[in-house]
Each structure stands twice: as C-alpha cells, then as structure tokens.
Amino acid sequence: MRLLALASFESSCDEQLQPPVFKRSSCYFCSSVKLADMVSHDLPAAVAHLQQTAETVALESLVGCAEDTDRLARWPAEQLRAIAAAELMGLHVPRNLGGHEQGLTALVAVTETLAKGCASTAMCYGMHCVASAVIAAKRTSFHEENFLRPIAEGQHVTSLALSEGGTGAHFYIPQLKMTHADGGYRLNGSKHFVTSGGEADSFVASGTTGDGDAGQFSCILLPKQARGITWLEPWQGVGMRGNSSRNVNLEDVSVSEEHLLGSEGDQIWYVFEVVAPYFSMAMAAVYLGIAQAALDAATQHIQTRRHAHSGQALSDEPLIQHKVGELWMEVERTRRLIYHGALLGDNGSPRALTPILAAKAAAGETAVKVTNEAMSLGGGLAYRENSLGARLLRDARAAHVMAPNTEMLKLWTGRAVLGLPLL
Ligand SMILES: Cc1cc2nc3c(=O)[nH]c(=O)nc-3n(C[C@H](O)[C@H](O)[C@H](O)COP(=O)(O)OP(=O)(O)OC[C@H]3O[C@@H](n4cnc5c(N)ncnc54)[C@H](O)[C@@H]3O)c2cc1C
C-alpha cells in the first residue's frame, strides 16, 4: 500500500519537465525514501520498523516545515512533538520505563531518516538521544521517574551542554565549577552553543569538582527551571538555524545531589562508553542524511531538466552521469562505515572504536562535498537565495566546527589504529 503510494508520487514528479526541485523539497524526498528502504533490508526488524516510523514523520511533519525553520531560525517545537507522537523520543530509554531500549544502529537509522526531512530537527533529536543515553547509562530511580519515563512518554526533551567558550573544541575539559553545597551542588560557569538552548526541559552538563584536567569531570542534570540559569542571545547561525544553539551562564545554580549522573569523576567511563559513541553516531547520521538529501535533489534535477535546443536531459550527459556515480559512491561508502561502526558498537566489539571515531569525520566531509557538488549540478535554481541546495550546504558546514571536529577525529582515528592513547 505504502510502496504504491510512493511510486505514484514519484511518477507525478517525473512527469514535470523542469520542476524547480531545489524549492520543492517534498518532491525530491520521495526518492530518498526508496534509498532508505534499501538500507533497511540489512537492519534488525525492530530497527527497520523504527526507521519506517521516522520516514512517515519526516514526510508528514518535517519536510514541509524545513524551509521556514531555517528562514526564521525557529526551534522545531512542532516537529519534535510529531516525533514524540510517533513514540520515537524514548529510543534509548529502557523498555520497563516505556522506551525502545535501542542502541547505536537505531540511532543512526532514525536520525539519518529525520535529517533528510530537516537537518535542524534531526540535530535537536540527535542531541536529545545522546543526552537520554547518558541519563540511562547509570540511572537511579530519581532519574527514571523525573527524566527517563517522561522522555519515553514524549513529555520531556533533553540536550547536551558540554562545550564552553573557554576551552572551545576541547569539550572534554569543562571549567564549569561544581561545589558541594546544601547537600547538593552549586554550579558556576558557562556553556556555549547548547543545542535546544532555552527550549529543552533539561540539559546534561559537564562540570568539574577539581582542577578540570582532561577526563576528570562529572555529568550533572540541569532542569530548565533551575534558578540562576541565564540564556544569552538567540541563535542566528549560518546553518542549522533551527537549533537554538545558545550560550548560557550559570550563576549559583543549585541542584540536589540526585542530579549527578554516576559518581563524581567517573567521566572517562561516560565519555568512552556513552558520550563518544552516541554523539559520534548521532552527528554522523545527521550529516549522512544531509548528503543523501543533496544527492537526491541533484539527481531529480538532472533527470528532469531538459535543454530546449537538444531535447536532452542533463542525465544524458556522460560527464554528469560520471559525477552522480562518484557522489553516490561517496555517500554509500560513508553510510556503510557508519552502520558498520554502529553495529560493532551495539555488539560490544573492541573493533568498534576506530569506525566510531571515523564516522562523524567521514560524514562531515561527505556532506560538505556532496552538498557543494549538488549546488553545481542544480545550476541556477540551486544558487537562488534560500534554495534547498543552499540550506543543505549551510547545514553541512556545521560538521567541521562541531566538536570533536573533523581534524581531531582523524587524529584520534589514527591513534586508535596505532594503539596509542587518544588524549
Ligand atoms: C550548530 C551547532 C550546534 C552545537 N551544539 C552543541 C551542543 O548541543 N552541545 C555542546 O556541548 N556543544 C555544541 N556545539 C559546540 C561545538 O561542539 C564546539 O564545541 C564549538 O562549536 C567549538 O567551539 P569554538 O568555536 O570555541 O572552537 P575553537 O576551540 O575556537 O576552535 C576553532 C577551530 O579550530 C580548530 N581546532 C581547535 N582545536 C583544535 C585541535 N586541537 N586540533 C585540530 N583543530 C583544532 C577547529 O577547526 C575548530 O573548529 C554546537 C556547535 C554548533 C555550531
């Protein structure tokens, strides 16, 4: 039934000779659905089902809003509500709390699919998933009742607040001070570029009770309503404009000790067991989705754009066929690397580290390359202000800035291959 509907949707796209595909995002998206289906043959049944649910949400609730989300730099509240209504918010929440208790493969499959509809929404969703995996990792009954259960019920959005202006790309060296006070913690410092800043219901923040050496930090939950939290200027990014990636000051913010995740100082465990794999996979999936969306848009344009003097479609040009083949190879080998790392990670394989480290770097490079090439293949239509191609290119560029950035990840991948310590 569903396949039939998609097939007819696609043929209605093909009938148009020169559609402005770089504006009509709902049109290009139907071809990306076919590609998602191909990948889902390799997925466990439960993950394939989640991916199909994500595809429905992307088609019905994300694609149509993506342009406005970008233009207005508007946090995607409605889109996240649609994701919640489809029961996807509790992807990593244990089953006994109402969640799916899924791992990295599901994170990649769902986030990639959402990213094809709207990259900003997928980024907010990805950060929510990473933070919820961090909360679930060493949960207490306090975390279960106040955070994980509401997350699974779609009532609570969370996010990650690790990076700081002071230490920048070195997100693993927080300077946020956590002092013991009144049987809990008092927090003083700042965080920068917090996805869903000022919007999410809670944030997993990193802070230090000591001197802030690399790896010697703790993770703590910050409820949105805690006193002393001041969100700074609204986010106006070049790309990922719906992300509300805002800076925040924390002045004498008090939270009870129940908000601590794990034990003080056991963050090396958190970083390597949860933050790094989940963050790397979530971000890799976002950028993979962007690359696929750009390739789909370019492909559709090439298939439908015809020159009046020859009657030939762009797709009749051998040079363009070659270029499309090259881009497809780029996207598909990146996808294989990412899913390979996710699967090894889910199986607890010691070989997972290298592909997990490499995944975000590869996805970032692929997304920037493919969106850039798609801009050329899309011709003048793509070069128009706020075209789909332009948005995807701007969104893709965030990959190289977001820590750990591409260069750091390549360095760490090399160290992992050589058996050297990462930091
Ligand atoms: C859209 C967006 C969303 C974000 N969301 C979040 C979030 O949800 N949570 C969060 O905690 N953070 C988030 N961040 C922050 C992000 O992860 C980075 O920490 C931050 O963008 C980098 O900070 P900076 O500009 O101070 O970088 P700087 O430290 O000033 O570095 C600038 C550049 O120098 C290079 N560089 C720096 N150090 C090295 C090195 N050792 N090796 C190689 N190259 C290096 C890199 O190219 C880097 O991009 C987000 C950022 C963006 C843009």
Side-chain angles (χ1 to χ4, degrees):
M1 183 71 182
R2 179 171 188 85
L3 280 175
L4 272 178
L6 290 170
S8 61
F9 186 28
E10 185 172 78
S11 60
S12 73
C13 298
D14 287 343
E15 278 160 23
Q16 303 178 34
L17 283 185
Q18 296 180 22
V21 290
F22 278 85
K23 268 201 89 183
R24 296 177 67 248
S25 44
S26 60
C27 187
Y28 86 80
F29 194 76
C30 59
S31 57
S32 67
V33 170
K34 279 196 310 184
L35 285 160
D37 283 349
M38 279 166 55
V39 171
S40 70
H41 288 314
D42 305 335
L43 297 175
V47 177
H49 178 72
L50 289 165
Q51 189 188 44
Q52 272 170 15
T53 305
E55 175 192 309
T56 304
V57 175
L59 283 167
E60 291 178 356
S61 307
L62 268 55
V63 174
C65 307
E67 191 180 327
D68 276 356
T69 299
D70 175 74
R71 189 169 44 82
L72 303 170
R74 188 170 62 195
W75 190 68
E78 274 175 43
Q79 294 90 319
L80 289 167
R81 270 197 290 276
I83 294 170
E87 299 182 0
L88 289 174
M89 294 302 268
L91 198 63
H92 306 305
V93 173
R95 264 193 210 96
N96 66 336
L97 300 173
H100 294 286
E101 204 172 319
Q102 284 290 336
L104 300 173
T105 309
L107 177 61
V108 171
V110 171
T111 311
E112 179 199 351
T113 305
L114 297 176
K116 282 184 285 196
C118 174
S120 284
T121 306
M123 174 74 79
C124 295
Y125 177 78
M127 287 296 182
H128 163 87
C129 285
V130 182
S132 56
V134 175
I135 299 169
K138 291 194 176 185
R139 63 190 175 276
T140 62
S141 55
F142 174 80
H143 304 142
E144 290 182 350
E145 294 313 316
N146 293 285
F147 297 92
L148 295 171
R149 209 182 281 282
I151 286 173
E153 288 167 355
Q155 311 280 349
H156 186 113
V157 177
T158 187
S159 190
L160 273 191
L162 303 185
S163 314
E164 297 181 7
T167 51
H170 304 267
F171 67 97
Y172 46 85
I173 315 180
Q175 294 182 328
L176 178 79
K177 289 275 177 247
M178 294 170 53
T179 38
H180 293 275
D182 308 325
Y185 293 94
R186 186 168 299 152
L187 311 177
N188 280 287
S190 62
K191 293 286 170 185
H192 77 169
F193 302 114
V194 181
T195 292
S196 300
E199 304 285 354
D201 301 289
S202 67
F203 299 87
V204 171
S206 55
T208 176
T209 49
D211 294 334
D213 293 339
Q216 295 303 309
F217 64 87
S218 304
C219 280
I220 194 150
L221 268 162
L222 282 180
K224 181 186 185 178
Q225 66 275 16
R227 283 176 61 185
I229 297 180
T230 308
W231 291 100
L232 304 182
E233 68 283 356
W235 170 241
Q236 288 287 346
V238 166
M240 293 292 177
R241 287 171 51 77
N243 261 57
S244 191
S245 294
R246 293 170 69 177
N247 299 352
V248 63
N249 286 339
L250 291 93
E251 196 179 341
D252 289 335
V253 176
S254 289
V255 289
S256 70
E257 64 179 2
E258 296 163 304
H259 289 81
L260 186 72
L261 295 166
S263 316
E264 272 183 31
D266 67 357
Q267 299 326 124
I268 281 290
W269 183 90
Y270 268 108
V271 168
F272 287 103
E273 296 296 321
V274 196
V275 178
Y278 279 84
F279 180 84
S280 173
M281 286 297 135
M283 294 304 104
V286 169
Y287 295 108
L288 177 64
I290 293 172
Q292 184 67 62
L295 179 57
D296 292 338
T299 305
Q300 196 195 340
H301 178 71
I302 289 160
Q303 286 171 327
T304 51
R305 164 82 170 124
R306 288 181 187 277
H307 286 141
H309 65 284
S310 62
Q312 287 207 318
L314 288 180
S315 58
D316 294 325
E317 284 291 340
L319 200 68
I320 289 180
Q321 296 161 0
H322 177 274
K323 178 58 73 185
V324 170
E326 217 174 41
L327 295 181
W328 183 88
M329 286 164 63
E330 179 82 33
V331 173
E332 198 53 29
R333 68 178 162 235
T334 302
R335 177 176 286 114
R336 294 294 147 187
L337 173 69
I338 297 169
Y339 277 86
H340 174 62
L343 201 64
L344 289 179
D346 283 342
N347 290 335
S349 167
R351 292 186 296 124
L353 179 65
T354 318
I356 283 175
L357 289 171
K360 175 180 170 280
E365 286 190 337
T366 296
V368 171
K369 177 177 172 180
V370 175
T371 53
N372 202 29
E373 296 284 357
M375 284 294 284
S376 306
L377 293 169
L381 281 177
Y383 199 68
R384 285 188 315 193
E385 186 183 13
N386 286 339
S387 73
L388 169 63
R391 164 157 53 86
L392 293 171
L393 176 64
R394 289 186 282 101
D395 288 342
R397 284 293 313 163
H400 291 326
V401 178
M402 290 188 71
N405 61 53
T406 305
E407 302 312 322
M408 277 177 164
L409 284 167
K410 286 185 177 178
L411 184 81
W412 292 350
T413 303
R415 286 178 181 166
V417 171
L418 295 167
L420 298 170
L422 296 191
L423 296 177

